[in-house]
Amino acid sequence: MVKKLFIIPGHGAGDSGAVGNGYQEAERVRALAAKIKEYGGDKVILSDFNLNSYKTDIFSNGVIPKDCLVLELHLDSSTNKSARGGHVIINAKFKADEYDQALAKMISAMFPGRAKTIVERTDLANVNRAAQKGYNYRLMECGFISNAEDISKFNAKMDELAKNILGCFKISVKQSATAPTVSKPASAPTKEKISVTYQVWDDVGNAWLPEVTDLTDYAGIFGHDVCAVFAKLTKGNIFYKVHTKGGRWLPEVKNREDYAGIFNKPIDALMMRTDTGRTIKYAVHLRRSNRWLPFVTGYNEKDSNNGFAGILGQEIDAIKIYIV
């Protein structure tokens, strides 16, 4: 009898995971997980948990049936843009089984570049927790999101990758249940991409840091307070303002007619909006707690959940912005 496969997409719930080449890890691996479920049918269970919510309890609360094979999906990242390749991570106390061997052989063939295809790790909490609770578990890195060739291949070959994963677990691939795509008329307009370019003033170097576009990177240096923000769009107008720590909301600025902030006064909150009719998503990283807050889309000083990015009283040291 073929066992069921329990798929866990990495990150989520406001945690984008790694970002690179205009993509977010959490969104990409969730898309792959959906493909695996689509082709695997009732032999696949797709987790509605994510790394933020299950770290302390998913392997303890009975959500995953004990007889399931478990696969957690990720995309790797590196500051070395040439780093590439896929691999499988298992607990060092166990030998790689037939599924691990098949996955490692498959992923290294699709995403070559690593010297070692099966990595034994004991410093990853989720790897250890699964092992302690007796789950047949492995984590797979499906190439590098920071490598343009890897992420391009990941996107182009997602269906093939999903089917190959099922094959490694000896699960038959069923015909896609997705409804046939209806071709649009040749004259149908396409949605024009709008990009945002932004930069921040660093309080340690007392200088503007390099510009960043969309999610190709983040603007800021961890550990250095952000004091001012400068932004523009490829089309339309962006409006934004900041809140100084221990101070107040400063006046709104438009595009690069001015910058938002005061040199050498750290900011602890940011608001942004556009007149493009699109949704702007923006997030900040907190210096003292060393963490990213979830992306927000609103523009309201009184709405601390979605009206602005930040927590009053906590300095910001990096920001991320994109338009959808």
Side-chain angles (χ1 to χ4, degrees), residues 231-307:
K232 64 180 179 180
L233 304 180
T234 53
K235 182 178 181 180
N237 298 300
I238 183 170
F239 307 86
Y240 51 103
K241 59 181 175 177
V242 300
H243 187 278
T244 58
K245 183 191 172 188
R248 60 186 177 85
W249 284 101
L250 299 179
E252 178 185 88
V253 298
K254 173 183 175 184
N255 301 325
R256 292 206 166 194
E257 294 176 0
D258 197 355
Y259 57 82
I262 300 173
F263 292 165
N264 300 318
K265 285 188 177 294
I267 67 170
D268 55 11
L270 168 69
M271 288 202 305
M272 310 194 96
R273 65 183 179 90
T274 78
D275 61 4
T276 62
R278 306 282 185 85
T279 299
I280 184 168
K281 294 190 174 185
Y282 56 103
V284 301
H285 187 272
L286 303 181
R287 176 174 63 78
R288 283 185 287 172
S289 55
N290 190 29
R291 63 189 174 105
W292 284 102
L293 295 180
F295 279 93
V296 298
T297 59
Y299 194 87
N300 186 342
E301 297 176 10
K302 298 180 180 180
D303 180 3
S304 60
N305 291 318
N306 191 52

Side-chain angles (χ1 to χ4, degrees), residues 64-80:
I64 307 176
K66 269 295 180 71
D67 60 346
C68 276
L69 305 168
V70 184
L71 174 64
E72 184 175 310
L73 300 171
H74 285 268
L75 284 162
D76 217 335
S77 182
S78 173
T79 54
N80 177 6

Side-chain angles (χ1 to χ4, degrees), residues 170-185:
K170 301 180 180 180
I171 296 175
S172 299
V173 175
K174 75 180 188 69
Q175 185 64 34
S176 173
T178 303
T181 301
V182 179
S183 299
K184 294 182 179 180

Side-chain angles (χ1 to χ4, degrees), residues 5-9 29 32-34 36-37 44-49 69-73 165-166 169:
L5 176 61
F6 195 96
I7 297 291
I8 304 172
V29 295
L32 173 59
I36 298 171
K37 172 63 178 175
V44 174
I45 301 173
L46 181 56
S47 171
D48 59 358
F49 282 76
L69 305 168
V70 184
L71 174 64
E72 184 175 310
L73 300 171
I165 288 171
L166 291 170
F169 287 100

Side-chain angles (χ1 to χ4, degrees), residues 184-195 234-235 274 276-281 322-324:
K184 294 182 179 180
S187 59
T190 57
K191 191 174 182 179
E192 180 183 359
K193 178 176 174 57
I194 299 177
S195 289
T234 53
K235 182 178 181 180
T274 78
T276 62
R278 306 282 185 85
T279 299
I280 184 168
K281 294 190 174 185
Y322 68 108
I323 308 286
V324 293

